[in-house]
Amino acid sequence: MDAEQWCERIPALTEDVHRDRRAVERYATAVEEHLDSLPSPERRTPEHRAHARQVRRACDGLRARFLALHAERVHSELADGAGPAGGRGHRPGLEGLADAAGGAFPGLLPDRDRLDAEQRLALADKEGLDVALGVFFQALLRSRPGGSRLMERLLRPTPRARDLLSGFRCEGRADLGAVSVERRDGAGYLTVHQPQSLNADNNGFVAAMETAVDQVLLDEGVRVGVLRGGRMVHPRYAGRRVFSSGINLKDLYHGRISYLSFFLRRELGFVHKLMRGLVVANEAAWPGEVVTKPWLAVVDSFAIGGGAQLLFLFDYVLAGADSYVSLPAAQEGIVPGGANLRLGGRGDSRLARQLLLGGRRIRAGEDTARTFFDEVVEPDRLDAAAERALARLDDHAVPANRHLLHLAEEPPHAFQDYMAEYALHQALRVHSPDVVERLARFMERPRPAQSAVPR
């Protein structure tokens, strides 16, 4: 059958969840069997790829209609522990929720084996299975009661952070690979160590950052958190600190950037925790069931993409006079995390469009840099300026006031609604043919031996 015939075969749904889930399972199974009859994804012709994309989108549309009718039922069954986690043990967080949904509602999501196999392919060879995940999480987040519960669960400490906490409390430091964390004089210093890529973001960075943020928030000896980039070995920046060069485009091109473990976990994990804090609710915790602390960012050289997005979350941002920010996600073809929400809602609308749609670069000395930076000093004065800023933030009244400021600037329901749309649109954008074309041009550009130079 051609793609149009597959669209014509989409079953009608009712309000009977049992009948509808069987219809979704039968159709999704037929789709998988049909696509399995084609050559493997990396060997398909352009015609095969276009056909597979259309058939998968038809199936994703059916899943979206099922969830529009039954999202609360799905939430309820998953909250009650229905559905096995893929038969191979439970995985926490977003991955575990997807596993449970696939077990409780066969056909609602591709099975874990397919998702894992696709993760090993280059982006150009992927079928776009992540779009089904985007449909699923969009529906869960759109649901006000169920989505709110999900948001709260994702604000809890990760198992890894809990496992490492006693060691951090004793030693005052932890090396998490892409990020290190150290406690000194009441401050928790997070330093990004990705010198081979100018501190570019990837899956490992997101996991390490969430663990580091959790440890800072859980450790009673830390009153203020600080984020700064480490020193580089790249020939153009040897010995200099760099804040962030954004998403690692080389990893994205080669398929090593995960939709769940990077795009969604980043925004709903450590980014959300930087703003809201940690939920550590228990009967003995009241009124401190949410732990929040002030945060300082120190920007050296540049904050590109994801690095620039983070600056909206910090209570004070210092920058070297030679630094700059940019948000090139639109030029890369993807969505820049929560930047559309935060820059669009708090800043000048024309500036927001210049940054988000036009890729404008803003240098620290420009007047418009005040959108991102509180204070700009010469690079050799950043350490002293950071000490002064820390002293101002280290005040008992600051956590409560920053909590209320964030509630006013970005109410939880506004973030939840935004993330529901982000969940789907980012999945669609990442798997759009034009993104692969843009990345291929980036990979073909002449550049130094080290990857991920500033865009």
Side-chain angles (χ1 to χ4, degrees):
M1 292 190 297
D2 61 25
E4 289 185 3
Q5 290 173 305
W6 278 99
C7 292
E8 292 170 359
R9 287 185 59 185
I10 295 174
L13 299 181
T14 69
E15 294 188 2
D16 184 326
V17 66
H18 300 294
R19 182 179 300 171
D20 290 347
R21 73 202 297 174
R22 288 194 298 270
V24 170
E25 181 179 5
R26 285 194 298 268
Y27 187 81
T29 299
V31 164
E32 296 299 353
E33 290 174 351
H34 170 65
L35 295 180
D36 285 345
S37 71
L38 300 178
S40 59
E42 64 272 24
R43 295 182 178 179
R44 288 177 186 170
T45 65
E47 292 75 19
H48 283 142
R49 294 180 193 279
H51 173 78
R53 188 179 304 112
Q54 287 179 279
V55 173
R56 285 214 175 273
R57 293 303 81 84
C59 190
D60 291 334
L62 176 63
R63 290 162 168 151
R65 286 190 287 279
F66 174 86
L67 286 162
L69 290 169
H70 306 298
E72 277 306 309
R73 177 61 178 266
V74 173
H75 262 300
S76 176
E77 290 202 26
L78 296 180
D80 291 340
R88 284 176 289 175
H90 176 69
R91 296 190 297 176
L94 297 166
E95 292 85 353
L97 184 60
D99 286 347
F105 295 85
L108 187 58
L109 291 171
D111 63 51
R112 194 202 294 187
D113 286 336
R114 291 184 185 275
L115 291 167
D116 289 347
E118 172 141 304
Q119 185 60 36
R120 294 190 288 269
L121 298 176
L123 183 61
D125 296 328
K126 294 182 189 293
E127 292 190 77
L129 301 183
D130 290 337
V131 175
L133 293 167
V135 169
F136 174 70
F137 281 103
Q138 180 193 49
L140 262 61
L141 290 166
R142 275 181 170 175
S143 166
R144 185 66 71 212
S148 298
R149 292 194 297 271
L150 171 60
M151 299 285 282
E152 180 177 317
R153 286 201 302 274
L154 293 172
L155 286 178
R156 296 182 184 276
T158 64
R160 187 186 184 204
R162 288 197 178 279
D163 290 344
L164 297 175
L165 183 60
S166 61
F168 179 67
R169 282 172 169 157
C170 292
E171 301 293 331
R173 61 176 59 85
D175 184 352
L176 306 172
V179 180
S180 67
V181 57
E182 182 179 3
R183 182 183 62 242
R184 299 198 311 267
D185 300 324
Y189 291 85
L190 278 62
T191 306
V192 183
H193 296 290
Q194 302 259 61
Q196 74 285 358
S197 63
L198 296 179
N199 283 344
D201 296 359
N202 57 13
N203 290 358
F205 165 80
V206 168
M209 269 292 291
E210 185 165 12
T211 301
V213 169
D214 283 355
Q215 289 183 313
V216 164
L217 291 170
L218 288 170
D219 182 34
E220 300 84 352
V222 174
R223 299 183 298 276
V224 184
V226 183
L227 179 63
R228 193 172 187 181
R231 299 189 183 278
M232 300 292 101
V233 296
H234 189 287
R236 288 175 57 186
Y237 299 91
R240 292 175 55 186
R241 290 182 181 269
V242 162
F243 190 75
S244 171
S245 61
I247 188 171
N248 190 313
L249 296 179
K250 183 177 180 180
D251 279 0
L252 182 59
Y253 178 79
H254 288 294
R256 296 192 290 261
I257 297 291
S258 164
Y259 171 74
L260 285 182
S261 300
F262 181 85
F263 288 110
L264 275 197
R265 182 176 178 184
R266 183 182 191 278
E267 302 306 317
L268 293 172
F270 85 83
V271 169
H272 196 200
K273 290 173 176 178
L274 283 171
M275 174 179 285
R276 304 289 181 201
L278 277 184
V279 172
V280 291
N282 58 63
E283 292 182 1
W286 193 91
E289 61 267 18
V290 177
V291 178
T292 182
K293 296 176 183 179
W295 288 90
L296 165 69
V298 182
V299 177
D300 298 90
S301 302
F302 45 79
I304 298 173
Q309 297 165 31
L310 292 180
L311 302 183
F312 295 111
L313 309 169
F314 284 82
D315 303 293
Y316 202 82
V317 181
L318 278 169
D322 59 347
S323 63
Y324 67 87
V325 296
S326 69
L327 287 158
Q331 288 69 54
E332 296 159 357
I334 58 178
V335 181
N340 296 288
L341 172 66
R342 292 167 185 133
L343 187 59
R346 302 179 198 175
D348 179 279
S349 63
R350 299 267 45 97
L351 176 62
R353 284 164 172 76
Q354 291 165 18
L355 283 160
L356 296 168
L357 307 182
R360 175 178 171 181
R361 179 180 293 187
I362 295 181
R363 299 196 174 276
E366 298 180 39
D367 287 343
T368 51
R370 288 176 294 181
T371 301
F372 293 91
F373 305 141
D374 294 288
E375 183 180 356
V376 177
V377 301
E378 292 302 318
D380 60 357
R381 296 171 53 201
L382 277 171
D383 290 341
E387 292 298 322
R388 293 193 297 272
L390 279 171
R392 290 193 293 272
L393 291 173
D394 189 6
D395 185 284
H396 292 297
V398 169
N401 281 287
R402 77 178 297 274
H403 170 68
L404 295 171
L405 276 170
H406 283 306
L407 282 176
E409 291 174 341
E410 190 178 302
H413 66 81
F415 179 61
Q416 181 180 331
D417 291 345
Y418 178 88
M419 286 307 303
E421 301 312 303
Y422 172 84
L424 178 59
H425 286 282
Q426 188 69 290
L428 290 168
R429 287 308 312 148
V430 168
H431 293 286
S432 296
D434 67 283
V435 172
V436 175
E437 294 169 4
R438 296 173 202 232
L439 290 172
R441 290 196 296 271
F442 170 80
M443 296 298 292
E444 292 167 1
R445 277 170 29 187
R447 58 193 186 278
Q450 302 277 356
S451 64
V453 298
R455 278 96 71 198

